[in-house]
Amino acid sequence: MSRAIYPGSFDPVTFGHLDIIERSSKMFDEVIIGVLCNSAKNSLFTVDERVDMIRKMTEHYDNVKVMSFEGLLIDFAKKVDATIIIRGLRAVTDFDYEIQIAQTNKVEYDKLETIFMATSLQYSYLSSTVVREFASYGGDISRFVPAEIVPMVEDKFKK
Ligand code: PNS
């Protein structure tokens, strides 16, 4: 059985992430969305909020689970018995960082394979950072995130 982890901050989850989830759910028996709980990083959403919103967006998949994790990704992979990591690549600018992380993880945990998926063309510009920045200036983010998530992001900037 193939069990893959799609890790990330998902702050917030975007159409780009959901596209990778959809495609990877067809490639692997089970996909675990690993939501990073990083206390050092100033997130817009708490880890529980991020887990809840991704659960709502992915409840129609039988083989997709959402979990939070703290610490190293390799430890989380060992804990859930997954040997595949999925990461989306938007452009060559993502590559340097991603290859470094993938190789570090591989050196530390030889069983772990990182699979890069090319982001679909229509989402190649999209990131959670862009969503937060746009929303912080009152911009319309409905092209970037699902309709249910739009007010959740907007509310964060009203406070
Ligand atoms: O959505 P992001 O912020 O680009 O996701 C980055 C993530 C969560 C995949 C990466 O930061 C991560 O795996 N963090 C956990 C700590 C870790 O294992 N780092 C890699 C070895 S240096």
Side-chain angles (χ1 to χ4, degrees):
M1 169 170 146
S2 58
R3 180 176 291 133
I5 299 174
Y6 178 39
S9 305
F10 306 106
D11 189 33
V13 68
T14 69
F15 283 129
H17 297 129
L18 293 169
D19 174 61
I20 298 280
I21 294 168
E22 157 92 28
R23 289 158 59 201
S24 51
S25 74
K26 293 178 188 153
M27 292 171 61
F28 304 101
D29 295 321
E30 191 174 295
V31 177
I32 298 174
I33 321 283
V35 182
L36 180 67
C37 174
N38 185 351
S39 43
K41 209 169 163 183
N42 226 347
S43 316
L44 184 61
F45 289 93
T46 66
V47 70
D48 290 341
E49 288 172 328
R50 285 177 278 143
V51 166
D52 281 353
M53 71 171 79
I54 302 169
R55 276 203 184 125
K56 273 189 204 117
M57 296 301 116
T58 59
E59 61 191 2
H60 52 290
Y61 299 109
D62 289 340
N63 64 338
V64 173
K65 261 195 204 169
V66 189
M67 293 173 76
S68 61
F69 76 100
E70 246 178 315
L72 289 176
L73 181 57
I74 53 169
D75 292 333
F76 180 56
K78 287 176 190 168
K79 188 177 127 190
V80 299
D81 197 20
T83 51
I84 302 160
I85 300 295
I86 303 158
R87 291 287 287 169
L89 276 188
R90 287 166 298 197
V92 72
T93 41
D94 283 340
F95 186 75
D96 275 354
Y97 171 71
E98 293 296 338
I99 193 81
Q100 194 181 9
I101 301 284
Q103 289 172 335
T104 307
N105 286 339
K106 180 82 177 151
V107 165
E108 292 296 326
Y109 182 30
D110 186 46
K111 275 193 190 171
L112 204 62
E113 295 295 344
T114 300
I115 311 262
F116 295 118
M117 289 181 70
T119 300
S120 295
L121 202 54
Q122 72 265 38
Y123 305 125
S124 58
Y125 64 93
L126 189 51
S127 69
S128 299
T129 308
V130 161
V131 175
R132 293 194 304 271
E133 175 79 2
F134 221 69
S136 73
Y137 291 106
D140 176 7
I141 55 167
S142 57
R143 274 182 211 277
F144 310 153
V145 300
E148 299 91 319
I149 308 237
V150 171
M152 296 181 197
V153 178
E154 288 175 348
D155 280 356
K156 289 284 178 184
F157 291 101
K158 280 183 198 147
K159 283 168 195 163

